[in-house]
Amino acid sequence: MSSKARRRLQRLGATTAAVFAALLAGAAQTMPDGRPTPSGQPVPRWLSLKSSEVHARYGPGLDYRILWEYRVSGLPVQVIAETTEWRKICDPEGAVAWVHRSVVSSRRSVLNASDEEIPIHSGRSAASPVRARLAPHSLVPMDECEDGWCRVRSRRLRGWVRQSAVFGAQERPLCNAARSAGTGRD
């Protein structure tokens, strides 16, 4: 191969690499302030707590004070910001705190945060038969949401609940990512 052909091939390779890098950069997920997420996952996104003893901290590190302890395994939380090792979350009460990435799971669940039962329908329609009812303040594993309905399951029960009726399925951020950790909504 001639040196001229080799240079053309090198330029083509460099151009291809630059285009590929630009495409990857455009596909990267970003946090609300525009920075890329360390995990490459979207923010906000839903996760659930892995255990019934999870420390909520004031900042992203073990040297930050513990604000409270979550005591509900499977509790849905919304990630609103993140570092490599820590996730800033919004909980069902609208409180913001930092938790370590090892204590959250991508398994989805939803919470009936109301004082009323929520019907679990056999299909994605309020006109479909009611198979069961989700008790107030209870959790149920969730598979997916579509057309305003979320498919839930518990043992042999499979059904659909309205997306707007449960906590853990909203698409918009529920807490302001710029807010400091602590209790209450802004």
Side-chain angles (χ1 to χ4, degrees), residues 13 17-18 38 57 64 66 68 71 79-80 91 101 109 128 130 137 142 144-145 169 172 182:
R57 295 187 178 271
Y64 286 93
I66 296 171
W68 56 82
R71 296 187 171 261
V79 176
I80 56 174
D91 71 19
R101 70 180 177 89
S109 61
S128 66
V130 174
H137 311 288
M142 183 194 77
E144 65 177 333
C145 294
R172 62 180 171 71

Side-chain angles (χ1 to χ4, degrees), residues 154-168:
S154 181
R155 295 186 186 111
R156 286 183 265 182
L157 172 71
R158 301 277 189 269
W160 297 85
V161 295
R162 284 192 183 276
Q163 187 172 2
S164 60
V166 291
F167 178 85

Side-chain angles (χ1 to χ4, degrees), residues 47-56 70 72-75 77 85-87 89 98-106:
L47 299 175
S48 61
L49 300 181
K50 281 185 182 178
S51 78
S52 58
E53 293 181 12
V54 174
H55 291 141
Y70 291 106
V72 181
S73 179
L75 182 71
V77 293
E85 296 294 318
W86 294 85
R87 306 297 179 250
I89 61 167
W98 287 90
V99 297
H100 193 267
R101 70 180 177 89
S102 66
V103 300
V104 290
S105 169
S106 60

